[in-house]
Amino acid sequence: MAKNKDARPPMFSICVVGLSGTEKEKGNCGVGKSCLCNRYVRPDADDYYSEHTSVLSTIDFGGRVVNNDHFLYWGEALHRGDDGLECKMQIIEQTEFIDDQTFLPHRSTNLQPYTKRAASSKLQSAEKLMYICTDQLGLEQDFDQKQMPDGKLNIDGFILCIDVSKGCNRKFDDQMKFVNCLYTQLAKSKKPVVIAATKCDECVEQSLRELQAFAASKKNLLVVETSARSNINVELCFNALAQQMDKTRGKPKTIPYLEAYKIQRQLVATVTDRFEKLIVQSVRDYHATWKTVSNTLKSHPDYEEYITLEGTKKARNTFNKHITQLKQEHIKKRKEEYLSNLPKVLNNLLNNLEEVEHLSWAEAQNLIRGKSEFQYWFVVLEHTPWDESDHIDNSDRRVPYDLLNTADGERIFQNHVQHLFSEKRRVEMKDRFKKTLERVHFISPGQAWEEMMCFVMEDEAYKYITEADRRDVYSRHQQEIVERAKDEFQEMLFEHAELFYDLDLNATPSFDKMSEIHSVLSEEPRYRALQKLAPDRESLLLKHIGFVYHPTKETCLSGQACVDLKVEQVLANRLVQLDHGRSNHYYHSANIDKVNLCLLGREGLAQELANEIRAQSTDDEYTLDGKIYELELLPVDVNSTLLFSHTWVSTFKPHGCFCVFSSIESLNCIGDCIGRIRAEIGQNRRDRFAPPLPFILILANQRDTVCKNMPILRHQGQQLANKLQCTFVDIPSGAFPRKFNEFQIKQALRGVLEGVKHHLDVSSPMPSIKDMSETDLRIVMCAMCGDPFSVDLVLSPFLDSHACSAGQPGQSNTLVLDKIIGDSRRRIQVTVLSYHSSIGIRKDELVHGYILVYSAKRKASMAMLRAFLAEVQDVIPVQMVAITDSQADFFENDAIKELMTEGEHIATEIAAKFTALYSLSQYHRQTEVFTPFFNEVLEKKGGIESSFMYDSSSRDCTGASEDFFPQSPHCHSPAYHPYYPDSEDDTEAPPPYSPIGDDVQLLPTPSERAKYRIDPEGNEYPVHSTPTGEHERNHKVPPPVRPKPVLPKPSVKKLDPNLLKTIEAGMRKTTGSENYADPLDTLLKPKGFLHTDDTYAVPEDAQRSGRTRTSFGTLHGHGEEENGFDLGQSQAGRRPSKYKHRSKILFSKTKAYHRRFHSDSDGEESGRVRQKKKKGRAHQGSEGDLLLSPVDPWKGGIDNPAITSDPEQDDKKMKKKKTPKTPKEPKKPKSSKPPKPLYPPTRRNWESNYFGVPLQNLVTQERPIPLFIEKCVDYIERTGLTTEGLYRVSGNKTDQDNIQKQFDQDHSVDFYAMDVAVNAVAGALKAFFADLPDPLIPYNLHPELVEAAKIVDHVERLLVLKEIVSKFLPVNYLVFKYIISHLNRVSQQSRTTLMTADNLSICFWPTLMRPDFENKDTLSTTKLNQAVVESFIQQSHYFFYGGDMADSSSNEGTPPPHCHSMVEALLPLQLPPPLQPQQIQHTLQPDPLL
């Protein structure tokens, strides 16, 4: 043993020996000496070679690796023992190389036998290279070349290899004899020896026992069981020898093979598992390559460890296996995708059961292949099967056609056929069950399925279909009847228009009003039909009321059928602001030399006519009346699809159409085609001034025989021409051989040229006669939303006139007509609105006349007209228009007859004009329909404007007086603020609701401010260079003397003969060309109204001015007696009344509801109410409640006795009055101080340091609840906890203000000493919360509360709400807890107060949350917000005191139904925000009739 004396690790030389020699001696395989050396020196799997041969050529034997020696130098290995000591091992293998030619041992320098040579302790070989593998021999330069150090070695120990496996052609006993001899020689060397039992992975137990017996017989001979192939105990073997060579080292523990094998396999399994996971995580695409993956993973420890143990080859095999698995999974996934899509494909291609039920699968495949959509669903591949082709990598998701040839394809087809069978039967049974339900007439809307199923359980269809299908059919049936019942209920509400339209806009109905509404409607079957859906019925009613009092086109109950939206669309499509079409068309078409003619006929008649015209022409030039025209002909058969496309008109551009017929059938076809062509052209016409297409009817001659039906054809042709307003060309007298005569062609061509010339005359431009900004008449046309007629029908009299143009920009519902009325041209502004939009301008805008349109097919339309007309001033002319399909409807339909007769009766009573328009007639397309009405309006214009100014100035003079008139509606209108510096409401914010929307602008724009001048008395008057009419002067009109009451004319008891004459004349009349006038109108640029109510103001000395009274009277010098009234006298000498006082029908309809309700409720009025009236605390309508007050009191009440002139009411009021009150003087103008914005809106008109300040400023740590809240709650709970209607019935507004003022001055004020009503204290408490800068429930939590309210599960919803409440600010949380606890105590007295948690939440949630009602999103969550507050009230013990959840026996607290439920969620009533100080209206005298 050679020991180094320096610090470097010691070096040992070990010789590995064992059985060697020829094949006869050792068998055909060695004992594993080389494998053992290889595994120890180079343990990595990639460096291990299992094949090492000892049969060499002479050249290889003489090479530098073998170097003519019978031993191999394996190199050195660094060895670390179990004790941590390192040493270097130089490994020598003693073997015997055999010549591959002679199969005898090579001759070497050492000729000793192997047993002596192997035991030698000194070896020498100059420049001998390290051995690596057999492939190295002869190719030494390609491998690592390392020489044996110094060319000689001293052996320090021996490892004796003994093969314990079943050797090849070798007996173990022979091997042991050789080993025994060899060991004898080794023992002589005195060197340590360790026996390595090799190939233990193939161990023979007998051999191993014999070996162990051999070792035991020797002294200190250690046996180590090894396996170089499995790398088991190899290192242990050399470590044991190292310990024997160096006694300082610890003796290693010898591990049996089986135990070491388990440890090694466990290690390999762990490393393999980690490597496989690494591959799975890293490789997800089966297109990946090993080279790319190995380069990516080479630095990963799991990869390196696996390569070391198992080698690259196994790693690549693992990778390839994973790639194959990925590919198979991809193919499987694609196949599943194809198979899952195949039923859908078959359902699209083979969805007809009769087509496939008898087909085999092969026939079905052929049928699929022949379908036109085959290429859309399938792909035919060149290489099959598809899963072995490139299609698996294709993004094409079509099904491979060869997939149908598989068993899966056939199975899916059979399932598809069975599905078609069962689906057909299922659909049939569902339809039968649906019909069964339709026959059960006692099914009511909202009735549960469980209540109805017992009545249909014996039905065959019921038994066949599943429970899910039954419920689905019943749900659809319920949905139909619910929707039908809701529609009928909504229609019923419209039919009771007079019941709702007796309050003003932006108001909220009081409790008494709601009781009246329910009392009246409860008598209706359509009301009772929704008995099981009472909440939805109430929502519909509230939604209707909300729309009535806050009407906008966005919230119109008819949705997209709203008249305002439809009118805007029609006018936007057919009107332009600056239309140069007339002049362009005039100049381009003044001279016509070429005429394009379309020839329309049946069965070749059009072509025959074209041939005849060409025969009479020369080179397509035709001479007519001395002028030559170039004709271009387009013969078209009536059955051609070209006629029903508008493109042929724009491409061919015909000047006229010759329509030829020779039989009744061809005439009928011609009539149908003309109607459809006109409709197509009208719908797609872009140029409003394009000439209408003239049609000429031509009767063809029967040249073969004299036709007996010729007189009938002639008569029918003439009738059709009259109906279609076109020219009829008859056969001239005399006999001629051809079908068409030259005379006929010339007559037809003249008709076309005259039609073109007529259009040029009416569309020629004329010079402007006046400024575009001025309009002579302002007409409002009203129609009801949802009526069964097209808006084009009522607009066509204006739009089809060439004197029609658009209104000013921003007035999207307005058009302007230039017409000759009287003796001069007049500009008429027509604003087309819905009734709900017109209500806002009925009193506040100057309107010269109303055109009221209603459908004779709809009762609701007539009811809306009556409700609107009842409140119109009787000095304004009215034109009533009834719409139906044809004149025959009057005689064939009793309902239409009744509505038309009622409309005519009302028109007769109020001396209005009445006409009927028919959708199937062409007469309505003439503007002359309304010419008589325009004449009447022009005649009465002066009186209308004076009456309007009188009414406006009278309201301005009285101010807030309670004697006669309420405050002027104009002083609160935003558009009037710049024009009235003396208004007391200069700082008022605009009203939150616009009654007619933002697009309808009837008030003067700010740009017209320069046209006004202020006189020394502070009045404004317009400045004109040359006054053009009496209405443009400055009138100062005082209030006139009350006129003597004029009784209305009795209603007509029988059908008016004039109406019968009109209808019968219309049915007999043939509308010819004489019905069309030739208006010489022009296109002028319109501008907005010049409102005379803005122009005039009443000075302080108005009552002393006798001159103005005379001038007022002279405006009506032309008296006219209509319907028993001397209009001249009544208008000049009496105050303007309303039409409801001139018509028994209108008056009876308006008052019928009030009489019916009050007659029912007179006996129910309690003494408590009478007692309050005596004390001066009478219920003040909706005025007292902070949230139930009208937002805009500038709108007077529709049925307010202060602004009506009902003679009966006047007499009763005069009797009841004892001392007349003097009207208050108008207030002096305020300084022009800019308006100060108020937020939040407040009702207080005094400065306060307590009310309207942040909540945290009012509390302390000792007093977390504001003192005012404590006082109010204490007073309410001590004195009024059982008061009926607590928090719902409004308290006296004066008392509320007094409570707050007294507390503001002295916080110790005693409410008991003040002796105030409980409702007043409740109102003051609500006003306190409403005046806070921020609502008690913070805005940032509103969305969370809404989402929580949508949770269906009751317990989960309460848990979420409790979590949200915890997010409140501490101050808000304590106050919220206090007030909710109080409301809970109030709700416990609901039997006496009638205030349940639901009712309290309705009253309180707007106060606590203060949402923005102008936001549409807020409106959609109203019901949810209310439900949240209701839950807080019901579950206050749970939310704030740790109690249990209260049981909810009813449906209270549950979220409102979602959209998927059977009953849709409805839009709740829009409540206005709190009043501002300027909007507080004084108390009005009660209506004596009520």
Side-chain angles (χ1 to χ4, degrees), residues 1069-1118:
K1069 187 176 181 180
T1070 58
T1071 57
S1073 60
E1074 65 271 17
N1075 290 336
Y1076 289 89
D1078 298 335
L1080 301 176
D1081 306 326
T1082 183
L1083 179 67
L1084 299 176
K1085 182 179 180 181
K1087 210 167 184 181
F1089 278 176
L1090 287 176
H1091 281 272
T1092 53
D1093 57 350
D1094 276 343
T1095 309
Y1096 297 90
V1098 180
E1100 295 179 358
D1101 61 344
Q1103 296 184 0
R1104 300 191 300 269
S1105 175
R1107 175 180 55 82
T1108 57
R1109 185 177 303 174
T1110 305
S1111 66
F1112 178 78
T1114 58
L1115 289 175
H1116 306 277
H1118 52 284

Side-chain angles (χ1 to χ4, degrees), residues 818-859:
D818 279 339
K819 292 189 63 64
I820 297 179
I821 304 296
D823 56 353
S824 61
R825 182 175 294 276
R826 306 284 183 178
R827 289 183 57 79
I828 305 171
Q829 176 176 300
V830 181
T831 302
V832 186
L833 300 171
S834 61
Y835 278 108
H836 61 76
S837 294
S838 304
I839 291 175
I841 64 172
R842 185 171 53 195
K843 293 190 311 177
D844 306 321
E845 308 293 342
L846 173 60
V847 178
H848 295 108
Y850 287 100
I851 301 176
L852 305 183
V853 183
Y854 75 97
S855 171
K857 296 181 179 180
R858 190 182 182 197
K859 290 183 179 180

Side-chain angles (χ1 to χ4, degrees), residues 933-954:
F933 171 68
F934 292 152
N935 286 325
E936 179 188 1
V937 173
L938 185 63
E939 293 173 1
K940 298 181 179 181
K941 176 181 178 182
I944 297 168
E945 294 178 345
S946 298
S947 174
F948 176 79
M949 290 183 295
Y950 156 76
D951 181 63
S952 175
S953 60
S954 298

Side-chain angles (χ1 to χ4, degrees), residues 591-602:
N591 298 316
I592 300 178
D593 295 325
K594 181 179 179 181
V595 179
N596 299 335
L597 294 176
C598 175
L599 310 181
L600 184 62
R602 184 185 180 193

Side-chain angles (χ1 to χ4, degrees), residues 600-602 638-639 643-644 660-661 663-677 720:
L600 184 62
R602 184 185 180 193
V638 293
N639 296 321
L643 295 176
F644 310 123
V660 57
F661 68 97
S663 62
I664 297 296
E665 292 79 7
S666 60
L667 180 62
N668 292 334
C669 292
I670 290 294
D672 294 340
C673 287
I674 292 177
R676 295 174 67 176
I677 292 173
L720 181 62

